[in-house]
Amino acid sequence: MMWKLKIAEGQDGPYLYSTNNYVGRQTWEFDPKAGTTEERAKIEEARQQFWNNRYKVKPSSDLVWRMQASDGHWPAENAGPLFFLPPLVMCMYITGHLNTVFPAEHRKEILRYIYCHQNEDGGWVCT
């Protein structure tokens, strides 16, 4: 069983619609024949390894950076809402820790992510 991540794609319907042409949106598509037999075996092995070692994993400060998609969003079930990142950035700025916590490259990518979700009228829709 394989799922394929479709980034910035979609089709309007009763449960999925976009106000910005699906920029920053991800959907999952199931394809039971995706990948070769070897690739599916590697995925199953990795899944088993993760399950067996799930309590030994150390937190990684660059995990979020490594998970970022090419268009600036982070694929997750809650990638669209802008109620996680802006408050964090505001708190870091107010406390004077923005430049300490986020290196210049991360700040650039955060801005790209936020601007990627901006509407034509200059506002943002938090869905």
Side-chain angles (χ1 to χ4, degrees):
M1 297 188 295
M2 301 283 283
W3 290 88
K4 294 190 299 187
L5 179 62
K6 295 170 66 176
I7 296 175
E9 295 180 26
Q11 182 176 353
D12 288 346
Y15 305 108
L16 183 66
Y17 62 93
S18 176
T19 58
N20 65 353
N21 200 23
Y22 293 95
V23 172
R25 170 74 77 156
Q26 78 284 338
T27 56
W28 291 94
E29 179 179 85
F30 178 73
D31 185 356
K33 298 177 183 175
T36 65
T37 304
E38 293 82 16
E39 289 172 329
R40 289 192 297 269
K42 284 182 181 179
I43 289 172
E44 180 58 26
E45 180 184 340
R47 192 184 69 76
Q48 286 295 325
Q49 262 187 343
F50 174 79
W51 180 257
N52 294 335
N53 296 310
R54 65 192 180 277
Y55 298 115
K56 299 176 187 173
V57 177
K58 294 180 182 179
S60 176
S61 62
D62 66 343
L63 175 63
V64 173
W65 174 78
R66 289 186 284 127
M67 290 174 47
Q68 190 173 20
S70 59
D71 69 351
H73 85 284
W74 286 268
E77 293 302 316
N78 56 6
L82 289 174
F83 53 82
F84 294 115
L85 185 62
L88 174 63
V89 171
M90 286 182 242
C91 288
M92 294 295 108
Y93 177 79
I94 291 168
T95 61
H97 292 96
L98 183 66
N99 295 340
T100 305
V101 174
F102 297 114
E105 196 61 33
H106 289 154
R107 292 192 305 272
K108 182 175 116 180
E109 293 302 317
I110 288 169
L111 285 174
R112 185 167 66 106
Y113 172 73
I114 292 172
Y115 287 139
C116 195
H117 287 81
Q118 191 171 23
N119 297 328
E120 289 180 15
D121 65 1
W124 286 270
V125 175
C126 293
T127 58

